[in-house]
Amino acid sequence: VLYATPDADGLRLYGDDFRSGDYFVRMHLKGAADRSCDHWHDDAGVVNHHAGITWLFEAALRSVDASTAAHYWDYTVDAADLGDAWPESFVFGDDWFGAPESDTHVVSRGRFAFTAVRRNAAGYANTTNAFGLLRSPWNASPVPFLARSTSTLGLRGNGYGTFPTCAMFASVLRDGKLSTILRGANGQLHGPVHIMVGGHWGVDDAWKTYLASQKSNDYWLLLSKYLWRQGYVECPAACSDDAPKSACACACPALDAGDLDAATILVDSDVADLAPPQGQWLEKLRRETNFTEDDALRLLCAVGTPGELFTSAAPQDPLFWPLHGNAERFLAYARALAAAGELDLDETW
């Protein structure tokens, strides 16, 4: 109901606590797709913001049906039971959240089949893509439906064998620091699920064999966003609905105009040194392929197409909600251990 009902109709039908799916996507985009920085994930923001938005989400759920509550998905159970067969989790059943993959990348079966991405959203939100869809500016997909993929640039599950495990959760408690827990909650403890289900596709064919052979491909999108935040990557402000996607892709104008060369941009932006492990991606590329720095930068500038869960519009995918319920529960558990004297917890963030 939240994803299918506009704000005004929901407020009229269900009262002041109602919020639509669009409302939550807009809120997340405002914080996470700000060009100056990602307010929702960097540093200590991740648990506060996601606990807060989940609280609003729960109130909205309960305005429609008071017997409901915000739920959490403990994907460590799937990690233990399924391992690399994680796409077989019950959460991807048609009665739950739908399959994590399809031929078109669109969720096309089950309860959330063809969940619509809001069109003509420029008057509703201050962040849209070039087609006026309620998406990150650098996600130039014109397809107005919830999208997913189980691979990042041809790499299944981005190279992760399983969802985050119990051992990973335990590891961030060992030094007893809130800062370590927050860093883990943003990254290794929940980030892989966003990447494994959101996915990333739509790159030039010349790259596909090389990218599919890698151990991890999530950093390509992260570096594209870093270049976008620094102003090297620019994306069209508006495109007509019938414009070809290629004409509305992001690019690096300074590179195309010859004002700066690829090496200068990669070094001055720190992109040459940012990707794990410590910038070796560029050395590895030079050593293993015929791709040049110019080729690599053009791949980053074009961005490609990520699924909703791997973007700043992540609440567009209903699977967004149980991910953060699990992180909030874990932090509460750490505090309960500390209160019982079983964990020495330094809450200086």
Side-chain angles (χ1 to χ4, degrees):
V1 171
L2 267 57
Y3 279 87
T5 308
D7 296 287
D9 292 347
L11 289 168
R12 177 174 51 81
L13 290 169
Y14 303 112
D16 291 343
D17 284 339
F18 179 86
R19 302 287 186 277
S20 70
D22 290 344
Y23 177 96
F24 292 117
V25 177
R26 177 178 65 181
M27 177 182 282
H28 198 271
L29 278 169
K30 184 177 180 181
D34 186 337
R35 200 154 188 180
S36 64
C37 74
D38 183 342
H39 304 278
W40 277 51
H41 303 93
D42 295 342
D43 298 318
V46 61
V47 175
N48 288 336
H49 281 106
H50 291 87
I53 197 174
T54 304
W55 187 29
L56 290 175
F57 172 76
E58 180 174 67
L61 280 181
R62 290 176 53 76
S63 74
V64 176
D65 181 348
S67 71
T68 57
H71 42 287
Y72 68 87
W73 167 30
D74 192 343
Y75 37 80
T76 65
V77 176
D78 290 301
D81 291 347
L82 298 173
D84 65 2
W86 56 267
E88 298 176 16
S89 170
F90 72 92
V91 303
F92 298 123
D94 287 350
D95 288 343
W96 288 76
F97 295 102
E101 183 66 274
S102 72
D103 291 342
T104 62
H105 301 298
V106 170
V107 177
S108 56
R109 297 198 327 264
R111 183 184 301 275
F112 291 102
F114 298 104
T115 295
V117 177
R118 186 177 181 125
R119 300 172 184 256
N120 302 314
Y124 181 76
N126 60 4
T127 303
T128 68
N129 76 358
F131 293 96
L133 294 168
L134 194 60
R135 280 193 167 120
S136 305
W138 35 262
N139 181 5
S141 172
V143 181
F145 301 109
L146 169 63
R148 295 176 182 154
S149 175
T150 56
S151 68
T152 52
L153 306 182
L155 182 60
R156 184 182 184 272
N158 192 51
Y160 296 112
T162 69
F163 287 133
T165 65
C166 283
M168 293 177 183
F169 276 79
S171 69
V172 306
L173 292 181
R174 287 183 185 137
D175 71 1
K177 293 182 178 179
L178 177 62
S179 58
T180 302
I181 295 172
L182 295 178
R183 186 165 62 250
N186 188 36
Q188 71 187 95
L189 302 186
H190 104 287
V193 185
H194 279 270
I195 299 165
M196 294 163 76
V197 180
H200 188 193
W201 61 95
V203 299
D204 188 273
D205 285 345
W207 282 91
K208 289 184 177 177
T209 300
Y210 173 73
L211 293 171
S213 71
Q214 300 306 292
K215 294 182 178 179
S216 176
N217 279 332
D218 59 313
Y219 67 87
W220 290 97
L221 180 59
L222 302 178
L223 293 182
S224 293
K225 288 196 288 183
Y226 195 74
L227 287 165
W228 173 74
R229 284 205 154 93
Q230 293 190 68
Y232 292 107
V233 169
E234 294 289 351
C235 305
C239 288
S240 61
D241 289 344
D242 59 354
K245 185 182 174 184
S246 59
C248 291
C250 302
C252 288
L255 179 65
D256 294 337
D259 297 334
L260 294 172
D261 59 40
T264 300
I265 293 174
L266 289 169
V267 171
D268 287 356
S269 65
D270 284 332
V271 161
D273 294 320
L274 269 179
Q278 290 76 51
Q280 293 175 19
W281 72 277
L282 198 51
E283 288 178 28
K284 189 170 183 287
L285 191 71
R286 293 187 188 115
R287 186 172 64 249
E288 296 180 355
T289 74
N290 294 321
F291 292 122
T292 65
E293 291 177 341
D294 188 89
D295 294 327
L297 182 58
R298 290 188 185 282
L299 174 65
L300 292 170
C301 296
V303 183
T305 305
E308 258 61 56
L309 207 59
F310 192 18
T311 74
S312 302
Q316 180 67 45
D317 194 320
L319 262 176
F320 174 89
W321 302 105
L323 297 190
H324 305 105
N326 204 35
E328 182 181 355
R329 168 176 168 262
F330 178 61
L331 178 57
Y333 175 62
R335 286 174 167 152
L337 289 176
E342 297 176 33
L343 177 69
D344 184 11
L345 181 62
D346 176 4
E347 296 209 53
T348 305
W349 61 267

